[in-house]
Amino acid sequence: MLRVAFLKLTSCSGCLNQALVALLASEDLLSKYEVVYFTELGTISSDNYDLVLVEGSVSNTKQERELEEFRARSKTLVALGTCAVQGGVQSLRIGEDIEEVKKTVYPFPEKIDVYSEPKPVSDIVKVDFFIQGCPVKGEAVVNLLRKYAIGGLPLILPESVCSECKRKGLTCVMVSQGIPCMGPITVSGCGALCPSFQRGCYGCYGLRTWDINVFKLEKFIDKVNKLGAPGSMIQTALRGYGYKSFKYVKGR
Amino acid sequence: MGSVYDLDRLIRILRENLNLQLQGYRYHAGRVSWGEINGIADLPLSVEDYVEPGLYRLKEGYRFRHSSVSPKVFLLPSEQVFLYESEDYARVKAPDTSEMRQTALFGIKPCDRRAIEVLDNIIGSKNPVYASRRKSIAAIIVEECLEPNNNCFCGAVGSGPSIEGGFDVAYARLDEKRVFFKYGSELGRDILVKLDLKPAGEREVNEYREKIESTRELTSRAFSRVMREVQENLLSKARDKDLWLKVSEDCVGCGNCNFVCPTCFCLEFEYSINEQNMGVKTAQWTGCLLYTYGQVAGGHFRPELYTRYRHFVLHKFVFYPKQIGLIGCVGCGRCITWCPMGIDLRGSVNSVAQGGVNAGK
Ligand code: SF4
Ligand code: SF4
Ligand code: SF4
Ligand code: SF4
Ligand code: SF4
């Protein structure tokens, strides 16, 4: 049996729930994996792990130590979801006064120990593999677990959401209806969920940082703004779903 | 000479007398996709595409030219399962491709027909899925174009707007009602005999010819030089990095151009494992504008986006001719229409072919 740990940092639990449900629904995997740690179930096991799936971004030094500890005790560490990979929605607070943010959200802000810029997992430890998504798709986790069980890892195919739109035969909502859509600059994996419901993508899988630099980003923002996207839409989405990219945009 | 109602009779002859399934541009719920045509109600007879670079609107009218799909959707599906294999490679089974129903392509455009010729030459029998689907095509019915859309440039690459060969029946809509028919094969002749139309008069023949010629004229203006010079200049400027960076500056590498292009044929393989622990090898559409295109084990030979855009342009105009003796671009303009950034291939080609970044824009 392979020993798998589910570690949660700062996040909403959506990815871990997707992963857990996907695992429990796949009989073939249940005979191969043993869940030995799951943050939310409180099971503490200080053993070694074959595989650690990490959800969430890093918010304070305590989490940094925790992450380092899990890294040291695992053969393979996987960052799960946009928070773990790029920072995620917590990044919305970047650039704001952190004390103000705490006050706005929590009744006892003094109890909240976080630094102002959430960090992706890869800022702290070596990441062997990552799956993007907000939340990740269960199928992607199943694919990972099946391949890992025979000693491999999936291939990462970082394409655009448009690729999935076109393969599914959807008609582009941006070109045919003028609906602002972030699909062209967003990582694939969701199966073009929003465009299949006649909505524009808002980029929850994260920015395609492979091709999109600040220059391309500005070109794209100009284009979408011309379609009448609410002025703050792209900025907000990028801050929320593109931590790394926000570093580019911030200086504008 | 006939009317749109004769199209319905034509459909019936193909379906009932020849026992074919019909595949083509299908109008349904406000959009034109690719699918099975069962009767005249499935045809996009009362809609018209209005296009600009990066813009598409379907309006009322009677001159439908394009949507984002093409016959490629049928011949080279976006997902193709190639192989199932067990962990020890003992049980390997390829999906059955022999069971294709005999098919007629209905209402494809002259540029689409050329695109199939391009795919035939590039893929042919190399891909079993393509080969079996191609073999299933028993009749080709083409709609000729008497008015192009804004992004059509078939005249400039010689793929339209009329068709001279490689079809069975062709028709052209002189106006909303009147339809001009011609045949291109023995089968086509038999079909038209069965349709029993009245012969076109001299006035109608002239009207048809005039409209074809005006469409040819309108679709021939895309390039500022003759094709041979365009091709020579493209090749000689292939290493001018600054020029290609400039030409591709708006491109974000989303790949829409590849996917909608009727001659783009690239596939990538994805391996997955199913519940029975069988390895499943699936091919899916990819394209040179996507980052993964140049990714290989251990590295990447086209990480910079401009090199992939350059490859797209050079492949269509310079490399396909070397590969198969045909220009790879059939001038359909789909890549221009469906590029969310509104990048115009004609402008890119002209910029490079004239050697000045601002020339031709
Ligand atoms: S709808 Fe959005 S994701 Fe789909 S092709 Fe258009 S721009 Fe791309
Ligand atoms: S279309 Fe965009 S916003 Fe919608 S689920 Fe996919 S990545 Fe997220
Ligand atoms: S559709 Fe346009 S932006 Fe997208 S890859 Fe093609 S040329 Fe670039
Ligand atoms: S390159 Fe563009 S215009 Fe040429 S065939 Fe492809 S989609 Fe049509
Ligand atoms: S490119 Fe030419 S043949 Fe194709 S639809 Fe346009 S006018 Fe017709």
Side-chain angles (χ1 to χ4, degrees):
Chain A
M1 288 287 256
L2 291 163
R3 296 164 60 80
V4 58
F6 289 81
L7 174 65
K8 174 176 155 64
L9 303 174
T10 305
S11 52
C12 76
S13 304
C15 290
L16 284 191
N17 288 343
Q18 283 286 326
L20 192 63
V21 168
L23 172 62
L24 296 178
S26 315
E27 262 179 62
D28 60 312
L29 290 175
L30 286 175
S31 60
K32 291 174 186 150
Y33 285 93
E34 182 187 1
V35 181
V36 289
Y37 180 86
F38 197 97
T39 304
E40 289 174 302
L41 297 178
T43 1
I44 304 294
S45 156
S46 55
D47 275 320
N48 291 333
Y49 313 112
D50 290 294
L51 183 63
V52 177
L53 304 179
V54 188
E55 174 198 274
S57 57
V58 185
S59 298
N60 55 32
T61 42
K62 187 168 155 272
Q63 284 182 337
E64 289 185 16
R65 297 295 87 76
E66 193 180 14
L67 192 53
E68 279 162 358
E69 215 177 290
F70 272 82
R71 173 72 269 192
R73 286 197 259 118
S74 69
K75 281 193 200 132
T76 307
L77 186 138
V78 174
L80 213 57
T82 308
C83 296
V85 177
Q86 293 193 340
V89 282
Q90 294 79 259
S91 315
L92 277 172
R93 70 167 181 267
I94 298 176
E96 310 287 333
D97 178 349
I98 186 67
E99 297 309 322
E100 281 303 313
V101 174
K102 285 191 210 168
K103 262 189 247 163
T104 319
V105 183
Y106 296 102
F108 302 105
E110 65 282 1
K111 290 197 194 293
I112 306 298
D113 167 30
V114 296
Y115 36 62
S116 50
E117 292 208 9
K119 295 177 185 171
V121 169
S122 60
D123 274 14
I124 311 299
V125 296
K126 178 173 164 277
V127 169
D128 299 302
F129 190 73
F130 62 89
I131 300 179
Q132 272 165 292
C134 182
V136 293
K137 263 186 115 172
E139 287 98 313
V141 180
V142 167
N143 190 30
L144 163 76
L145 294 175
R146 288 202 175 123
K147 287 205 171 154
Y148 188 74
I150 57 166
L153 286 172
L155 206 66
I156 304 174
L157 296 173
E159 294 169 350
S160 60
V161 176
C162 302
S163 311
E164 308 191 285
C165 245
K166 288 292 182 287
R167 288 186 194 125
K168 283 193 159 176
L170 303 175
T171 301
C172 175
V173 300
M174 183 137 82
V175 168
S176 78
Q177 297 178 52
I179 298 173
C181 180
M182 287 178 65
I185 60 166
T186 302
V187 175
S188 58
C190 69
L193 192 58
C194 298
S196 17
F197 291 95
Q198 304 291 307
R199 296 181 54 166
C201 163
Y202 57 90
C204 80
Y205 266 56
L207 191 77
R208 279 173 46 233
T209 44
W210 299 274
D211 278 336
I212 309 297
N213 54 23
V214 63
F215 177 73
K216 298 282 182 192
L217 196 56
E218 284 178 4
K219 291 265 177 200
F220 185 77
I221 292 172
D222 283 349
K223 181 79 196 174
V224 181
N225 284 346
K226 279 199 196 103
L227 290 178
S232 58
M233 172 189 138
I234 294 267
Q235 294 291 339
T236 308
L238 286 175
R239 284 174 64 183
Y241 294 120
Y243 169 72
K244 287 181 186 159
S245 64
F246 178 65
K247 285 192 177 164
Y248 301 129
V249 196
K250 217 168 37 171
R252 297 183 77 202
Chain B
M1 256 327 275
S3 79
V4 282
Y5 302 106
D6 294 312
L7 291 176
D8 206 35
R9 294 174 53 229
L10 173 58
I11 291 173
R12 236 176 296 143
I13 291 173
L14 293 164
R15 277 166 54 85
E16 288 159 20
N17 298 38
L18 299 176
N19 194 23
L20 302 174
Q21 70 149 340
L22 270 52
Q23 289 274 333
Y25 296 111
R26 182 184 156 91
Y27 177 76
H28 180 68
R31 61 188 283 255
V32 179
S33 49
W34 185 268
E36 191 163 353
I37 308 289
N38 293 316
I40 194 172
D42 294 332
L43 297 178
L45 290 179
S46 324
V47 288
E48 184 162 312
D49 46 329
Y50 172 80
V51 304
E52 285 171 20
L55 186 128
Y56 183 92
R57 293 292 181 273
L58 205 57
K59 302 189 159 171
E60 251 179 58
Y62 67 98
R63 295 238 178 266
F64 171 75
R65 272 91 27 152
H66 289 304
S67 68
S68 56
V69 294
S70 72
K72 176 173 90 170
V73 171
F74 173 73
L75 288 165
L76 195 68
S78 61
E79 258 193 42
Q80 309 162 24
V81 176
F82 264 76
L83 203 67
Y84 296 97
E85 59 194 8
S86 63
E87 210 177 332
D88 56 2
Y89 302 103
R91 273 183 300 141
V92 178
K93 111 174 180 277
D96 190 7
T97 48
S98 60
E99 287 290 303
M100 280 300 294
R101 241 195 99 184
Q102 290 287 289
T103 304
L105 297 181
F106 196 95
I108 65 169
K109 312 293 158 176
C111 56
D112 292 335
R113 180 61 189 92
R114 171 68 63 81
I116 296 173
E117 192 183 344
V118 171
L119 291 179
D120 283 347
N121 280 283
I122 295 266
I123 307 174
S125 57
K126 294 187 200 98
N127 176 337
V129 175
Y130 181 89
S132 77
R133 285 171 172 250
R134 183 64 180 92
K135 229 177 93 195
S136 77
I137 297 175
I140 296 182
I141 316 298
V142 171
E143 176 175 8
E144 293 185 300
C145 299
L146 301 188
E147 199 186 321
N149 75 23
N150 290 334
N151 294 344
C152 290
F153 60 100
C154 51
V157 290
S159 69
S162 58
I163 188 155
E164 318 310 332
F167 68 102
D168 296 293
V169 173
Y171 64 88
R173 297 180 71 187
L174 294 180
D175 52 34
E176 275 184 83
K177 290 256 153 57
R178 292 180 301 147
V179 182
F180 184 93
F181 288 87
K182 71 181 191 189
Y183 63 83
S185 70
E186 282 297 304
L187 173 68
R189 204 175 61 110
D190 292 347
I191 293 171
L192 286 196
V193 166
K194 234 174 246 142
L195 259 184
D196 193 23
L197 302 162
K198 81 171 170 32
E202 202 187 313
R203 201 175 54 98
E204 287 147 337
V205 174
N206 286 340
E207 192 181 342
Y208 162 78
R209 288 210 176 116
E210 272 162 30
K211 287 188 169 150
I212 285 282
E213 284 323 309
S214 79
T215 307
R216 198 182 312 284
E217 210 272 313
L218 285 169
T219 55
S220 298
R221 297 174 182 167
F223 305 120
S224 49
R225 303 194 170 212
V226 298
M227 188 45 71
R228 190 182 45 79
E229 277 178 42
V230 166
Q231 291 167 316
E232 282 168 5
N233 289 355
L234 282 176
L235 193 58
S236 70
K237 304 268 167 42
R239 284 169 198 277
D240 189 339
K241 177 174 172 178
D242 290 342
L243 183 54
W244 287 100
L245 271 174
K246 182 83 183 139
V247 163
S248 66
E249 68 179 2
D250 283 350
C251 175
V252 295
C254 63
N256 276 302
C257 46
N258 295 130
F259 296 120
V260 297
C261 177
T263 68
C264 270
F265 55 84
C266 284
L267 302 173
E268 70 192 0
F269 287 97
E270 229 185 330
Y271 285 87
S272 56
I273 301 169
N274 67 15
E275 301 102 88
Q276 287 83 44
N277 212 25
M278 295 282 276
V280 186
K281 187 178 181 186
T282 314
Q284 64 181 13
W285 286 354
T286 185
C288 50
L289 268 301
L290 294 173
Y291 184 81
T292 44
Y293 177 80
Q295 224 176 358
V296 291
H300 199 306
F301 53 85
R302 282 198 185 98
E304 284 179 281
L305 182 49
Y306 87 90
T307 63
R308 281 176 273 134
Y309 186 78
R310 178 181 65 191
H311 179 74
F312 179 68
V313 178
L314 291 182
H315 194 196
K316 296 294 173 204
F317 290 93
V318 182
F319 306 148
Y320 275 80
K322 286 187 195 298
Q323 278 175 287
I324 59 168
L326 288 170
I327 298 174
C329 172
V330 302
C332 70
R334 284 184 184 87
C335 59
I336 303 169
T337 304
W338 297 98
C339 170
M341 301 299 285
I343 296 171
D344 192 330
L345 177 64
R346 296 163 297 188
S348 302
V349 168
N350 281 331
S351 298
V352 178
Q354 291 176 354
V357 168
N358 295 315
K361 274 211 165 169

